[in-house]
Amino acid sequence: MPPTTLNDFQSSAAALDRAASDAFASAGSADTLEKARAEFLGRTSGRLLDLQRLVPTFEGAERGSAGRAFNELKTSLEARLDARRIELESTARASRSDVDLTMPARRQFRGAEHPVTLVIEEIVAIFREIGFTVATGPEAETEWYNFTALNFPPEHPAMDLHDTMYVAEDVVLRTHTSPVQIRSLQAGPPPIRVVIPGNVYRLDPFDASHAPMFAQIEGLAVDEGVSFVDLKATLTHFAQRFFGATRTRFRPSYFPFTEPSAEMDVECRLCKGAGCAACKGTGWMEILGSGMVHPNVLDAAGVDSEKFTGWAFGMGPARIALQRYGIPDIRVLYDSDVRFLEGLAR
Ligand SMILES: [Zn+2]
């Protein structure tokens, strides 16, 4: 068995998924479907079995990833096979009996996971591999958790009624997932390594690139001796895993809760940095904001900022989903239009 990389394994799995799905879908009779089943899911010589044999050639976390990818593929192909079998049986039944063939057919509704969910799950999986756990928190937060503890000055414009949805005098619909950073820091002493997915709310117009509710995902790492090197190395690793990006760049930025702060861009995959419509001619895609956790934030959460340091990042899975799936308008993600999800289902 030739040694293979996890990337090769994953692309083989994707190719197998496409080939098997196409074969099942185009099978016009029980016999051809059975041939397709034997080719892909055969117990002694199927193509899936060849892929399974590669799983034990990986070590450690990679073996886990390969095993999971294999199991997901197997489950989904078995489900597709069953669904197609039922379709063919009902067609065969219909042609045998004296039912009214002029009646409109009942469509098979086949759903799919929402693109934002898929993006979040993939991001979480990458950080899980390197020791991060998932943390969540309430969507209605006090001003203290949402702003004050995160080093927002009392007169910061984000706290304005025009920007933030207030539920009560001192309670807001969280404007970012960062309050969960404070809650994670309060929950126990460092080391802390968490990723925080969740929905956030802002008084933004509902247009092609804004929505008043959207998903965000953040990360936080706090320990003794954590430096900007850890931030750069970890986020670059993430960019390579998630985007297959060969290059990243960090640009200075400003956030109240980090100092120094940086935006990370990844090289545009479509044009490899040459500049195209997708990257607005820059050759780079803006992906996330990051920075070293401000000492005031650690102090507010009761963590000794003389002893501990940390870094954090935040990004918008919806924007990443738009890029990845070539969706031109963010509203499509929130419209609950079944035709959209059916289009993504295969
Ligand atoms: Zn480009």
Side-chain angles (χ1 to χ4, degrees), residues 287-299:
I287 297 303
L288 56 81
S290 64
M292 299 304 292
V293 179
H294 198 291
N296 291 353
V297 173
L298 296 174
D299 291 336

Side-chain angles (χ1 to χ4, degrees), residues 268-285:
C268 175
R269 276 178 91 185
L270 297 176
C271 63
K272 301 264 180 274
C276 68
C279 60
K280 299 192 180 79
T282 64
W284 297 93
M285 297 280 200

